[in-house]
Amino acid sequence: MTILVLNAGSSSLKYQLFRFENGAHAVLAKGVVERIGLNGSFVGHKGKDGAEVRIDGAIANHTDALKKVFAALTDKDYGVISGVSDISAFGHRILHGAEDFNASVLMTEENLQKCRKNIDLGPLHMPPNLACVDACRELARDTPNAAVFDTAFHSTMDKTAFMYAIPYEYYTDYKIRKYGFHGTSHRYVSGEAIKYMEKIGKNPSRIITCHLGNGSSIAAVKDGKVIDTSMGLTPLEGLMMGTRSGDLDPAVIEFIAVKTGKNLAETINILNKKSGVLGVSGVSSDFRDLSAAAEEGNERAELALGMFAYRVKKYIGSYFAALNGADAIVFTGGIGENSVKMRERILKGLCGLGVKFCAERNLSAKRGEISEINAADSEIKILVIPTDEELVIARETFELTAGK
Ligand code: ADP
């Protein structure tokens, strides 16, 4: 089977083409359409033999973008399939499943309607996600579409964990509660951690997964099921992030609005786009830039990095309590997988919980592989595990559509 995984943002469309054969999988091509609906749109495509090409040209909307993806995948020079009919199914990353979806589903008309009703829970991501499903249905009428939700893996949370302490009717009337995001990543790395530990004779039941990237979240996973996670109704809650504030006193919102004359939407936009390590440092949302600035003596960059690490540590501590201890802590995402220094900042302060960190192993952790960075005698494993959200989406799509 050949499966095209699609991850649509408001002005971008990431794609990856998988082939599943005899129980194994291979990535045939991948790329990203950038600046959809803006000046200077282009497709960055990596196809046959890993050769990279950039295809410039106007791209007005997600249907246009998908046409360009199909053109790249079937191009006679750098394409990898002979026609769009070679694609057996599409797998879509969908931000919000609300309480309607606790697992991946085929995008039937009925499911699509349910998703449309949840647009207000993810007004930035849901419209492009669903526009991409519409485009596939228009351009490849007979090919099935699977929806894989960012929220689904967290649907096992208990009410005590997911309710907000606000009038109950807001939950029943407006579905206001914690949902959590990055579910495909937490699911993948917690699964990989269990496999890894079983191979070395352990039987882990309590895992804390830290997905640290531009967006960051943590999950507490017990016996393969999420019992708590840091993001909320939207991805704004929880950890401090590249540009998101994460947790703060909700009264700050009114205070900012009154002091600056901004309206509610503008204030929330500041908390989403201009806060986090960018807002505190005034330097960048990129942790590589921040590290470089901190090393040159920039105090606000140092402060932002210190705050980020402190908040991750606090969440890990609270999930130790939620899980009654932990068997493993997992780091993933762009920062979790690559930033030796950030892992060290976070982990050095955790020895009180019985976490024994090994600086040498941390330094020599190989990119793209599972690495153990705890000291040999640490009861709690600390693992760095590369995430692969696209593979999870492709596998789910395969399972929903194989033989259909
Ligand atoms: P997204 O949430 O967009 O998927 P990623 O998981 O790709 O984001 O993470 C992006 C973040 O990872 C950026 O802040 C970037 O600075 C950070 N990052 C990537 N490589 C490194 C590195 N070698 N050292 C420190 N940070 C890194």
Side-chain angles (χ1 to χ4, degrees):
M1 273 186 84
T2 305
I3 290 172
L4 183 61
V5 171
L6 295 160
N7 179 0
S10 55
S11 64
S12 69
L13 175 60
K14 291 187 193 147
Y15 61 93
Q16 225 174 100
L17 189 70
F18 286 83
R19 176 154 295 156
F20 286 85
E21 219 161 16
N22 305 325
H25 74 271
V27 176
L28 303 184
K30 60 177 160 181
V32 58
V33 187
E34 300 263 25
R35 303 187 59 79
I36 299 170
L38 304 169
N39 287 333
S41 356
F42 67 94
V43 185
H45 177 80
K46 200 171 182 182
K48 226 184 235 166
D49 312 323
E52 286 182 44
V53 278
R54 178 183 162 120
I55 308 138
D56 288 286
I59 302 173
N61 52 40
H62 284 82
T63 307
D64 268 1
L66 194 63
K67 282 183 189 162
K68 298 277 191 225
V69 172
F70 288 167
L73 292 173
T74 56
D75 186 272
K76 64 176 173 28
D77 294 325
Y78 46 81
V80 289
I81 49 175
S82 52
V84 175
S85 59
D86 289 356
I87 301 172
S88 331
F90 300 110
H92 298 267
R93 179 178 187 179
I94 307 285
L95 179 84
H96 223 302
E99 289 190 338
D100 295 317
F101 301 104
N102 55 19
S104 306
V105 293
L106 280 177
M107 267 301 199
T108 57
E109 191 55 43
E110 189 192 348
N111 285 334
L112 200 46
Q113 288 310 329
K114 279 190 192 162
C115 285
R116 291 197 207 289
K117 287 201 186 124
N118 292 327
I119 284 180
D120 60 350
L121 289 170
L124 298 179
H125 297 82
M126 290 298 273
N129 291 169
L130 299 180
C132 186
V133 177
D134 288 337
C136 288
R137 283 159 58 97
E138 184 190 329
L139 298 178
R141 222 168 268 267
D142 298 326
T143 311
N145 291 276
V148 180
F149 300 93
D150 254 34
T151 49
F153 186 53
H154 302 298
S155 65
T156 48
M157 275 187 288
D158 188 77
K159 237 175 177 174
T160 46
F162 75 62
M163 286 295 289
Y164 291 126
I166 55 177
Y168 195 83
E169 307 77 68
Y170 296 154
Y171 166 59
T172 47
D173 294 353
Y174 308 122
K175 306 178 189 172
I176 298 175
R177 51 159 281 187
K178 178 189 276 286
Y179 290 97
F181 298 88
H182 291 141
T184 44
S185 179
H186 290 291
R187 176 174 161 186
Y188 178 76
V189 296
S190 58
E192 291 295 298
I194 291 170
K195 276 196 249 163
Y196 173 85
M197 288 179 68
E198 281 175 351
K199 259 193 216 154
I200 55 171
K202 307 260 177 205
N203 187 17
S205 68
R206 302 160 303 175
I207 300 176
I208 298 172
T209 48
C210 310
H211 177 108
L212 311 179
N214 278 322
S216 294
S217 66
I218 301 200
V221 185
K222 182 144 203 305
D223 299 326
K225 294 196 170 92
V226 172
I227 62 159
D228 205 350
T229 190
S230 58
M231 283 179 166
L233 173 75
T234 77
L236 186 53
E237 190 183 339
L239 295 174
M240 178 180 182
M241 308 181 208
T243 63
R244 294 188 189 117
S245 64
D247 296 336
L248 48 62
D249 177 351
V252 168
I253 296 170
E254 189 197 13
F255 211 81
I256 293 175
V258 169
K259 291 284 180 195
T260 63
K262 295 192 189 321
N263 65 29
L264 203 53
E266 288 165 341
T267 307
I268 295 294
N269 194 47
I270 301 249
L271 298 184
N272 266 310
K273 303 257 172 75
K274 302 249 168 9
S275 300
V277 292
L278 169 69
V280 172
S281 69
V283 172
S284 171
S285 63
D286 191 303
F287 279 65
R288 288 164 288 201
D289 300 340
L290 286 175
S291 291
E295 269 163 33
E296 281 165 17
N298 185 312
E299 285 176 17
R300 276 172 54 188
E302 175 59 31
L303 172 65
L305 292 168
M307 285 171 67
F308 181 88
Y310 179 65
R311 287 169 175 229
V312 175
K313 186 176 98 170
K314 276 208 298 190
Y315 261 101
I316 291 177
S318 69
Y319 287 171
F320 257 79
L323 288 164
N324 262 324
D327 300 309
I329 302 172
V330 178
F331 285 90
T332 195
I335 300 159
E337 289 169 35
N338 299 308
S339 179
V340 173
K341 286 188 187 149
M342 183 47 73
R343 290 197 303 254
E344 179 160 354
R345 271 182 199 258
I346 296 165
L347 290 161
K348 264 182 145 178
L350 276 176
C351 37
L353 292 171
V355 178
K356 285 197 194 162
F357 163 71
C358 175
E360 290 76 34
R361 282 180 168 184
N362 184 39
L363 195 61
S364 57
K366 285 208 185 88
R367 290 208 177 136
E369 287 179 16
I370 298 187
S371 310
E372 217 180 284
I373 59 168
N374 48 273
D377 62 344
S378 177
E379 260 178 51
I380 299 154
K381 295 276 175 214
I382 314 168
L383 303 173
V384 179
I385 303 185
T387 195
D388 198 340
E389 292 164 284
E390 285 75 16
L391 178 60
V392 175
I393 298 172
R395 279 185 182 149
E396 294 277 292
T397 306
F398 177 83
E399 272 161 33
L400 282 166
T401 58
K404 294 212 170 103

